[in-house]
Amino acid sequence: MKSRYSIKDLEQLSGIKAHTIRAWEQRHKLITPKRTSTNIRFYSDDDLRVILNVSILLEHDWKIGQIAKLAPEEIAKSALEADPYEGNYAYELNELKISTLNFDIERFETIMSTCIDKHGIHDTFQKVIGDYIQELGKLWLSGSVSISQEHFMSSMIRQKLYSALNELDAVDNGKTFALFLPANELHEIGLLYLAYVLKERGERVIYLGQSLPKEYLTDLLDNQKVDALISVFTTNPDVEYLPEYLRDLDDLIHDRGIQVHLTGYQFNDFSENTFGDNIHIYSTLKDLTAHI
């Protein structure tokens, strides 16, 4: 069953303003909305795919008049060719969006296989999936994808990341990074992605997973030499409790010479870190990855 989208949905998913989409619809017949039995306009998967591909071509200096002369299949082909794979993976990210919205396992598997064939497993996870993790979080937080859609795609990506992690050789000569999510935090794919990046780089990774109360870190730190702790705060702890959490974390690592690297949505409106030189807060997952 195909999905139905409002013009506001198209705007949020493509980044193109609704009034611009409406103008293209009327002037260039680029897409054609349908109507429900109660005369409410809606758009299909095919319409969404056209708008997403148009957004790619516009970024590569195409004019809307040129694009409007093409059939949808030609627009898709041109969008794929327009992205020269020089750090820009918009086509793949758009395909992952559509897979998410439609619970489309086959499309997800196809785009993942294509990415790995074209870019290799390293770039697929570090660039395509890394960027999509950020994008998926934004879509979920903005309400553009439902909880079930987010869980579906998170599960698909987790499976791929676990498989990729298992294929990497374990090492014991690098730095030791312990990765965990705080209590009641279940959004794991960002952390798994970081585990992959570190292990692929040759570091020793201790993966503690979801929902670990910080008090239980003592068990690990008393028994293992750990160089750094890493975590991603998407929904927990609540912003009002962050200062207390960070103070307790600083007390925990104070005499151990351990660095702490944190990122996540919960830090978006967080004031400057004043909780010690060993705690580092990054605005995005990509920033954290670049600094560790």
Side-chain angles (χ1 to χ4, degrees):
M1 181 178 178
K2 290 195 172 186
S3 300
R4 294 182 175 186
Y5 307 99
S6 68
I7 198 163
K8 190 66 176 175
D9 292 330
L10 297 192
E11 177 180 278
Q12 290 182 328
L13 291 164
S14 70
I16 297 172
K17 295 295 183 183
H19 64 81
T20 300
I21 296 173
R22 186 68 57 81
W24 292 346
E25 174 191 318
Q26 295 171 348
R27 188 177 309 154
H28 300 289
K29 311 300 181 187
L30 198 61
I31 56 176
T32 304
K34 300 168 183 59
R35 293 184 181 272
T36 66
S37 57
T38 55
N39 209 34
I40 297 173
R41 297 157 60 94
F42 70 90
Y43 300 85
S44 68
D45 289 326
D46 292 336
D47 296 323
L48 172 62
R49 190 172 295 108
V50 167
I51 294 300
L52 290 173
N53 287 327
V54 167
S55 71
I56 295 173
L57 293 177
L58 291 175
E59 289 179 1
H60 288 81
D61 299 323
W62 283 59
K63 304 298 182 186
I64 191 62
Q66 294 175 274
I67 300 170
K69 295 176 183 177
L70 302 177
E73 297 78 12
E74 295 173 313
I75 293 174
K77 183 174 182 292
S78 298
L80 181 57
E81 293 172 349
D83 259 352
Y85 309 116
E86 296 174 355
N88 188 347
Y89 300 90
Y91 184 87
E92 289 90 336
L93 294 175
N94 286 341
E95 287 295 296
L96 288 170
K97 282 183 189 177
I98 295 170
S99 302
T100 301
L101 293 166
N102 291 290
F103 303 95
D104 193 334
I105 297 171
E106 290 75 18
R107 181 180 291 275
F108 173 81
E109 294 291 352
T110 297
I111 197 62
M112 284 294 296
S113 296
T114 301
C115 284
I116 291 170
D117 288 344
K118 286 181 178 291
H119 317 306
I121 193 167
H122 178 86
D123 279 358
T124 295
F125 282 109
Q126 286 226 13
K127 297 176 182 178
V128 181
I129 294 300
D131 281 355
Y132 193 61
I133 289 168
Q134 300 265 128
E135 183 73 10
L136 185 61
K138 292 176 185 176
L139 293 173
W140 177 71
L141 290 164
S142 70
S144 298
V145 301
S146 68
I147 291 175
S148 58
Q149 287 166 328
E150 189 268 343
H151 281 203
F152 162 75
M153 186 51 67
S154 295
S155 175
M156 296 294 292
I157 295 174
R158 272 202 308 272
Q159 291 174 40
K160 293 293 183 184
L161 284 168
Y162 274 123
S163 177
L165 275 166
N166 289 334
E167 290 178 6
L168 293 174
D169 293 332
V171 296
D172 57 10
N173 58 348
K175 290 183 178 179
T176 298
F177 292 81
L179 283 66
F180 73 100
L181 293 181
N184 302 314
E185 178 62 75
L186 302 176
H187 291 79
E188 187 181 19
I189 56 175
L191 198 72
L192 274 171
Y193 168 68
L194 289 168
Y196 172 81
V197 170
L198 289 166
K199 192 174 179 184
E200 199 270 348
R201 197 173 76 185
E203 309 291 4
R204 182 168 178 259
V205 174
I206 299 175
Y207 190 78
L208 302 174
Q210 302 172 329
S211 192
L212 182 75
K214 60 183 177 300
E215 295 80 11
Y216 294 162
L217 288 169
T218 304
D219 297 337
L220 169 70
L221 302 182
D222 284 345
N223 290 281
Q224 287 283 333
K225 173 66 173 70
V226 173
D227 296 289
L229 295 172
I230 296 179
S231 191
V232 182
F233 297 2
T234 303
T235 57
N236 284 285
D238 290 339
V239 174
E240 64 180 302
Y241 298 120
L242 274 179
E244 177 185 351
Y245 188 100
L246 295 181
R247 279 192 293 269
D248 290 346
L249 198 56
D250 190 42
D251 289 341
L252 184 64
I253 65 166
H254 184 70
D255 297 321
R256 300 177 188 264
I258 296 172
Q259 300 295 307
V260 177
H261 303 278
L262 305 171
T263 190
Y265 181 77
Q266 294 300 81
F267 292 109
N268 278 10
D269 299 317
F270 192 66
S271 58
E272 185 177 352
N273 174 34
T274 58
F275 301 99
D277 295 335
N278 292 339
I279 295 181
H280 312 278
I281 297 172
Y282 304 89
S283 57
T284 67
L285 194 67
K286 186 176 288 187
D287 288 340
L288 192 160
T289 304
H291 283 88
I292 56 175

